């Protein structure tokens, strides 16, 4: 009797590999799709060699099942596939990481498609697909934590140009009450990250924002700086929604306070229901899963036959 075989691998054997590489930790996952995660792990971001060893160690068990990888990397990182240094980190203050790559070791070990975006652009893609940026024309995902970064998606497609947006390093006007502290960014001092990131907050007030009393001036100062940044994004990008995530953003009432300061700095400009609405600046729908979900979406895209 003749038995016909199909050579298509059954769905349960198809897995996508995802890496969300941040400055302090790397989240890794394998999933059948962006919303069907099979296994995850967290690896401390140590030296490049140790971190990449940890990443490859996690995927080894799934080696034969993985079709493609999505990498959501901290930046600045070369995204241009035609560049000789595609996938490599560029001039990062993170010790030992300049020139390192999360992409190349995967290609060397697996020889399967790899798609790369910044961690924040991947989070923006995920929020656009499944979360708070759904329906936005120009949506922005901002993370405020150990560092500050932002991804911009226009109709779901991340903005790239010379490199990628580096929203954390835009210049901010320092408030009169915020004295006796030099901004923590080694490149710019008083940029957004230098003034409003977790380490910048710790350095001048000795603790995290959520541990400071509600009436502490730190709350007003940080909301003001993030409000300035959002006003700039509303003016330059014509943003119609800004999602703010990351450790610092979890302080109660912060999103509303930022929106108030943004409207103050806009000074009546762009006034209308979009800017006035409490849904202009919101928390992520996918909470801390936005980045890894985005990395899985990138892996699915990498596996498309027509790319
Ligand atoms: Zn900076």
């Amino acid at each position: 009797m003749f038995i016909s075989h199909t050579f298509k691998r059954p769905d349960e054997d198809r897995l996508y590999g995802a890496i969300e590489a941040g400055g302090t930790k790397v989240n890794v996952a394998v999933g059948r799709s962006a919303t069907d995660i099979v296994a995850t792990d967290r690896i401390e971001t140590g030296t490049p060699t140790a971190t990449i060893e940890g990443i490859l160690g996690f995927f080894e068990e799934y080696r034969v099942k993985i079709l493609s990888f999505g990498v959501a990397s901290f930046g600045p990182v070369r995204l241009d596939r035609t560049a000789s240094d595609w996938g490599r980190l560029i001039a990062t203050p993170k010790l030992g990481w300049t020139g390192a790559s999360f992409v190349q070791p995967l290609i060397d070990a697996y020889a399967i498609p790899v798609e790369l975006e910044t961690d924040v652009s991947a989070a923006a893609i995920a929020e656009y697909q499944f979360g708070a940026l759904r329906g936005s024309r120009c949506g922005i995902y901002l993370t405020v934590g150990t560092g500050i970064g932002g991804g911009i998606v226009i109709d779901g497609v991340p903005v790239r140009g010379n490199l990628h947006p580096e929203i954390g390093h835009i210049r901010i006007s320092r408030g009169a009450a915020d004295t006796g502290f030099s901004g923590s960014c080694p490149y710019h001092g008083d940029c957004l990250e230098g003034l409003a990131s977790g380490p910048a907050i710790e350095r001048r007030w000795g603790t995290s924002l959520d541990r400071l009393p509600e009436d502490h001036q730190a709350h007003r100062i940080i909301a003001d700086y993030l409000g300035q940044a959002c006003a700039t994004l509303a003016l330059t990008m014509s943003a119609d929604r800004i999602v703010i995530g990351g450790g610092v953003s979890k302080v109660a009432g912060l999103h509303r306070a930022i929106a108030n300061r943004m409207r103050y700095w806009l000074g009546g400009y762009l006034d209308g229901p979009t800017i006035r609405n409490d849904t202009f600046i919101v928390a992520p729908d996918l909470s801390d899963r936005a980045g890894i979900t985005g990395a899985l979406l990138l892996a699915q895209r990498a596996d498309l036959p027509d790319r």
Side-chain angles (χ1 to χ4, degrees):
M1 186 178 125
F2 178 73
I3 298 167
S4 77
H5 289 277
T6 167
F7 290 98
K8 190 175 178 293
R9 280 181 279 185
D11 279 348
E12 60 267 29
D13 277 349
R14 295 165 56 92
L15 290 176
Y16 299 104
I19 295 164
E20 179 198 15
T24 55
K25 62 175 170 38
V26 178
N27 291 316
V28 283
V30 286
R32 292 187 193 92
S33 72
T35 52
D36 185 7
I37 292 174
V38 172
T40 59
D41 203 356
R42 176 177 288 200
I43 294 152
E44 192 193 331
T45 311
T47 64
T49 310
T51 310
I52 283 154
E53 209 176 274
I55 292 169
L56 293 176
F58 168 79
F59 288 117
E60 189 54 36
E61 183 184 335
Y62 311 98
R63 172 176 276 277
V64 297
K65 296 182 178 179
I66 297 176
L67 298 175
S68 55
F69 284 104
V71 177
S73 172
F74 67 85
V77 60
R78 186 72 66 204
L79 298 177
D80 177 5
R81 268 185 188 268
T82 64
S84 59
D85 59 348
W86 174 62
R88 295 199 180 279
L89 291 157
I90 304 159
T92 166
K94 198 159 171 46
L95 208 63
W97 280 91
T98 300
S101 171
F102 290 102
V103 168
Q104 199 57 47
L106 294 172
I107 292 173
D108 292 346
Y110 283 81
I112 57 175
V114 179
E115 185 82 15
L116 170 71
E117 282 291 348
T118 63
D119 49 357
V120 279
S121 283
I125 291 170
E127 287 288 345
Y128 180 84
Q129 191 76 26
F130 303 115
L133 291 178
R134 254 179 302 192
S136 68
R137 295 292 311 280
C138 177
I140 298 180
Y141 180 95
L142 208 58
T143 182
V144 186
T146 313
I148 297 182
I152 303 169
V153 285
I154 297 184
D155 295 325
V157 179
V159 167
R160 288 184 184 182
N162 168 44
L163 192 65
H164 48 73
E166 279 287 343
I167 297 168
H169 296 276
I170 60 175
R171 191 80 185 172
I172 292 296
S173 177
R174 184 190 276 251
D178 189 12
T179 55
F181 161 77
S182 56
S184 67
C185 176
Y187 293 90
H188 317 110
D190 285 10
C191 63
L192 181 60
E193 181 173 296
L195 289 174
S197 63
I201 292 166
E202 295 251 355
R203 262 173 57 179
R204 54 199 188 296
W205 296 301
T207 187
S208 56
L209 194 60
D210 62 337
R211 293 210 171 107
L212 290 164
E214 259 175 56
D215 58 352
H216 193 286
Q217 62 165 355
H219 292 282
R220 289 190 299 280
I221 290 170
I222 297 306
D224 181 70
Y225 294 159
L226 291 167
Q228 285 186 46
C230 290
T232 299
L233 292 168
L235 292 164
T236 54
M237 295 307 302
S238 194
D240 54 9
R241 182 157 299 164
I242 301 174
V243 170
I244 305 182
V248 174
S249 77
K250 289 175 183 168
V251 174
L254 187 61
H255 291 85
R256 187 180 289 258
I258 294 168
N260 285 336
R261 294 311 292 168
M262 175 194 72
R263 288 188 281 262
Y264 169 83
W265 286 108
L266 286 173
Y269 239 73
L270 305 182
D271 191 34
T274 305
I275 294 288
R276 241 180 277 150
N277 205 310
D278 272 346
T279 57
F280 186 77
I281 294 176
V282 293
D285 265 2
L286 305 174
S287 71
D288 293 333
R289 290 174 295 111
I292 200 70
T293 303
L296 281 164
L297 284 170
L298 293 173
Q300 285 181 280
R301 187 196 295 172
D303 182 45
L304 291 176
D306 61 344
R307 25 182 336 273

